[in-house]
Amino acid sequence: YDRQYTDVYDFNAIAYVNAGEDGAITQVKDALASQGATATPVIRKGFITTQPNGERGTIRLVVPENANEFASLYHVRGIEGSPETLDLSAEGVWVSQGYANHTGAKVGDNVVFADAGGSTYEAPILGFYEYWLIGHEMIMGRDYYEKVFQTDYQPTVVIAKTGDKSVGDMGQALADVKGFDSIVDDAETQYNNFNTLARVSSTVVLVYGALAVLMAIVVLLNLNVMFIEEKKHELIVLMINGFSVKDAKRYIYNDTIVLSAIGIFFGVVLGCFSGALAVTAVEPPTAAFVKSVDWPAVFIGVFGSALLAFIMSAIALRRIPRFNLTDINKM
């Protein structure tokens, strides 16, 4: 969600108009602009698509009226293997990355899609772009739209960046504009959808995190105690030869630090790998989840692991001052 509304979408609202009113789109756009919003008309329609893997799904088509205005509100960033920038004069479509990830589609393949009336259309894929919301989307130029659908371009909605004004305030200001129907806060709607999923997944993560901490406490404490018991003979010899309890503890600490560092290193590597696998496993066929490393989370994990190792070592090391030096004769 954060990436979508930072890197891709720079608009937060969608205004719907009455298609039967002449000039409604222009009037709504001008009204939004008069309220300080940045707005541009687009066609935004849903279609049924037959995917390369043979499955059927849905896909949304977006066709901007003005390329420059659209570029200021919708940042199309090509993924690897695609052109870096969107060319709306080319004959074809750009498709969201999730479509490529889950259907096996490649640049040059055709997207096959049908409208509610059963009419089927095809368009070659020019590239794939970053898209982090649930669902598939494709973008084509205005001229190519008229060629494919054999109809004049007639935008259906206005996308807008409302700035400091809330979408509710915008709706009230546009209430009397001829042709205006409604305006929705797309960012808030998508956030609510995202938050529903995040609450469930966050609960699961917290449960597993708590279990991991409890297991780490038990395992680390037992390992430290066992390690000290194994080194008991050497520690008593050190103290008999004039080394202090502090020196004996430092001897154990050195080994603990090295072992903890090795464990943390391999834990980070395996954790990132298994995390990517877990995200891939739960990723629905209509989405592309972020699988890159979340470095703040890694640093928190490293710090937490190091802190637990230090605390458990400190608890286990309390056994050393209780050693009876005469026990060396029993070993």
Side-chain angles (χ1 to χ4, degrees):
Y1 173 86
D2 293 335
R3 282 199 183 187
Q4 182 70 19
Y5 284 89
T6 300
D7 298 339
V8 184
Y9 283 178
D10 201 23
F11 66 91
N12 64 302
I14 300 174
Y16 295 90
V17 301
N18 185 347
E21 291 281 353
D22 291 336
I25 284 286
T26 301
Q27 293 182 66
V28 170
K29 177 189 174 184
D30 292 343
L32 285 166
S34 69
Q35 295 296 319
T38 304
T40 187
V42 299
I43 286 176
R44 210 166 181 260
K45 291 182 178 180
F47 292 89
I48 302 296
T49 179
T50 303
Q51 301 168 354
N53 56 13
E55 297 181 0
R56 291 171 65 85
T58 59
I59 192 167
R60 181 169 56 227
L61 172 66
V62 177
V63 187
E65 179 183 67
N66 182 288
N68 292 330
E69 290 180 354
F70 182 71
S72 69
L73 293 176
Y74 196 132
H75 309 305
V76 178
R77 308 186 344 157
I79 63 174
E80 187 176 352
S82 300
E84 293 185 2
T85 56
L86 171 69
D87 182 7
L88 290 174
S89 65
E91 295 194 344
V93 293
W94 277 62
V95 187
S96 53
Q97 61 185 350
Y99 189 85
N101 295 349
H102 296 288
T103 68
K106 302 182 294 294
V107 173
D109 291 348
N110 283 339
V111 177
V112 180
F113 52 100
D115 58 21
S119 299
T120 303
Y121 309 93
E122 289 188 15
I125 298 175
L126 302 174
F128 297 99
Y129 61 93
E130 286 188 20
Y131 186 81
W132 303 106
L133 299 180
I134 302 294
H136 299 313
E137 192 167 86
M138 59 182 178
I139 301 172
M140 72 168 56
R142 175 175 178 170
D143 293 339
Y144 187 61
Y145 170 84
E146 293 180 339
K147 178 179 178 179
V148 169
F149 290 91
Q150 295 294 301
T151 185
D152 292 335
Y153 178 83
Q154 293 182 336
T156 55
V157 300
V158 179
I159 58 174
K161 180 180 181 180
T162 60
D164 296 333
K165 286 194 175 182
S166 70
V167 175
D169 291 340
M170 282 289 181
Q172 292 178 3
L174 270 64
D176 296 329
V177 175
K178 185 179 179 181
F180 173 72
D181 184 18
S182 62
I183 186 169
V184 298
D185 192 331
D186 185 65
E188 183 179 356
T189 300
Q190 295 293 349
Y191 174 74
N192 290 335
N193 294 337
F194 166 80
N195 202 35
T196 300
L197 174 64
R199 279 198 301 268
V200 175
S201 58
S202 295
T203 302
V204 174
V205 170
L206 287 174
V207 170
Y208 275 99
L211 292 174
V213 170
L214 290 173
M215 188 169 66
I217 290 173
V218 173
V219 171
L220 286 173
L221 184 57
N222 284 334
L223 286 176
N224 276 285
V225 170
M226 291 170 60
F227 184 64
I228 290 172
E229 286 297 322
E230 289 178 358
K231 298 288 185 179
K232 186 174 181 179
H233 183 272
E234 291 92 331
L235 294 172
I236 291 177
V237 169
L238 284 175
M239 289 187 283
I240 289 175
N241 284 280
F243 287 88
S244 65
V245 171
K246 188 175 182 180
D247 292 328
K249 287 183 177 181
R250 188 180 298 114
Y251 173 70
I252 297 296
Y253 260 131
N254 290 338
D255 284 351
T256 301
I257 291 171
V258 171
L259 291 173
S260 297
I262 293 173
I264 288 172
F265 172 76
F266 284 103
V268 168
V269 173
L270 293 175
C272 291
F273 178 72
S274 62
L277 288 179
V279 172
T280 301
V282 301
E283 184 178 78
T286 55
F289 287 169
V290 179
K291 302 177 185 69
S292 56
V293 178
D294 186 352
W295 289 111
V298 170
F299 292 137
I300 291 171
V302 169
F303 175 78
S305 299
L307 181 63
L308 275 176
F310 173 79
I311 293 173
M312 294 304 104
S313 295
I315 293 173
L317 288 172
R318 295 173 63 188
R319 300 173 62 86
I320 293 179
R322 303 193 188 106
F323 285 168
N324 190 338
L325 301 187
T326 60
D327 287 346
I328 195 170
N329 298 321
K330 303 176 184 177
M331 297 179 183

